[in-house]
Amino acid sequence: MNNTVLLGGILVLAIGTFSLRLAGPLLRTRFELPERAQQVMSVAAVVLLAALVATAALTDGQTHAGIARPAGVLVGGVLAWRKTPFVLVVVAAAVTAAGLRLLGVP
Amino acid sequence: MLRDIALVCLADGVVGVSYGAISVGGGLQFWVPVALSLLVFAGASQFLFVGIVAAGGSPVAATVAGLLVNTRHVAFGLAVSDVIGGGWRRLPGSHLMTDETVAFAIGQDDLRQKRAAYWVCGIGIFIFWNLGVVIGAAAGTVIADTDVFGLDAAFPAVLLALVLPALRDRSTRTAALIGSVVALAATPFLPAGLPVLLALVGLVFYRSGKPVAALEAAR
């Protein structure tokens, strides 16, 4: 592997990612957004995070993620919905998935 | 809140160890995963990048794929710019922007708490993630597969727990549900990163009014 090409790729990805991250804060200081648009921005972040949860829980690459992982996330989700402390939610999700795998569930 | 953030930092650190080990185990030199973690600092795109390069793919393809996965940060930046603050803070604040920091900030009630959550979580994850990657890359193949510990289920659960309060609002929930269904439906057909972006069409169902303008701005 050519190290120069590899380093170039890493630097472009780094600069590109930083620019994508900085774009929002820069745009927002240039233009004053109306109240409603600001509200929609917050909802947009929630929609993106929810879609991340759905795809991370149910898919792996371009196929489905098996049973153990969605089951773990579901257990965590139900506990969170019932206002269980955050730490328990996270641990329960991990333990459920790990336990099912230990039993041979994919 | 501090305890919750500490837990997520720790989990991120363990995934970092695994990422470092996978990269070196895949034949990459020590500096590759370490440089990616410090300079790019975005887990999903880093896994994708080393996955493509370690499999013999071109660094150009790996870079494009990584950038595609990271496009969602534009919308995140628009949502949390007040939380990050103005002036010089925008530079480090932007670099620390991750799914977890944004979710923690959104989960707080007032701006002061949002700020504290964002910065503490961002700095904490940055330290733990990079430390983990260095340890993993140095140790080689110690923990190659964190799925054994169920960490692949823990991360979606973290984000879900943090966005749930926002989902109690009916209109937001509708938008999020429709967006998630669209993203899931698109996953088999599109490269990584695009399906999640497509979820933004869910915003059209966020009340009535002018969601189209918001979509333009979030792009």
Side-chain angles (χ1 to χ4, degrees):
Chain A
M1 175 61 63
N2 185 333
N3 272 344
T4 319
V5 178
L6 194 52
L7 181 62
I10 292 173
L11 288 180
V12 172
L13 179 57
I15 294 166
T17 301
F18 185 71
S19 309
L20 292 168
R21 282 172 165 149
L22 191 61
L26 280 188
L27 282 172
R28 283 287 294 270
T29 41
R30 293 282 158 76
F31 309 98
E32 199 47 53
L33 285 171
E35 185 82 0
R36 198 194 132 74
Q38 292 189 20
Q39 200 185 358
V40 175
M41 295 301 159
S42 306
V43 177
V46 172
V47 169
L48 283 179
L49 288 169
L52 268 180
V53 170
T55 51
L58 297 172
T59 66
D60 195 350
Q62 295 194 316
T63 56
H64 65 89
I67 294 163
R69 192 197 301 169
V73 178
L74 183 67
V75 168
V78 169
L79 289 179
W81 187 256
R82 302 188 59 176
K83 302 200 170 161
T84 311
F86 182 79
V87 175
L88 285 180
V89 169
V90 178
V91 172
V95 167
T96 303
L100 285 174
R101 288 197 181 111
L102 214 63
L103 297 172
V105 179
Chain B
M1 180 180 82
L2 272 180
R3 197 183 52 181
D4 299 352
I5 290 177
L7 178 75
V8 172
C9 288
L10 194 67
D12 266 306
V14 175
V15 175
V17 173
S18 139
Y19 160 77
I22 287 172
S23 308
V24 173
L28 295 172
Q29 286 174 290
F30 176 82
W31 66 269
V32 175
V34 174
L36 278 164
S37 293
L38 282 169
L39 302 173
V40 179
F41 187 53
S45 67
Q46 290 179 230
F47 270 107
L48 200 56
F49 187 97
V50 299
I52 291 173
V53 173
S58 95
V60 177
T63 304
V64 172
L67 284 174
L68 203 54
V69 171
N70 289 338
T71 40
R72 66 179 183 280
H73 289 95
V74 177
F76 283 156
L78 288 167
V80 298
S81 70
D82 290 345
V83 176
I84 291 175
W88 64 271
R89 287 185 197 85
R90 287 176 298 185
L91 297 177
S94 295
H95 193 53
L96 296 177
M97 188 187 298
T98 61
D99 304 327
E100 294 94 322
T101 49
V102 171
F104 262 109
I106 286 175
Q108 309 304 316
D109 294 327
D110 60 70
L111 186 62
R112 214 173 59 88
Q113 282 181 314
K114 283 177 196 280
R115 274 209 176 127
Y118 185 91
W119 284 94
V120 171
C121 183
I123 294 169
I125 289 182
F126 188 80
I127 293 170
F128 275 81
W129 173 249
N130 282 290
L131 263 183
V133 172
V134 168
I135 293 170
T141 50
V142 180
I143 325 171
D145 189 9
T146 51
D147 286 7
V148 175
F149 308 117
L151 280 181
D152 58 321
F155 276 92
V158 163
L159 296 182
L160 182 56
L162 291 172
V163 297
L164 262 186
L167 293 180
R168 285 177 201 272
D169 171 59
R170 190 176 180 177
S171 184
T172 304
R173 192 165 64 229
T174 307
L177 269 178
I178 293 171
S180 299
V181 170
V182 169
L184 284 173
T187 297
F189 311 106
L190 294 176
L194 273 185
V196 167
L197 275 192
L198 272 186
L200 288 176
V201 301
L203 283 179
V204 173
F205 298 89
Y206 178 66
R207 287 185 196 152
S208 52
K210 13 171 202 178
V212 178
L215 260 180
E216 299 282 49
R219 209 167 267 160

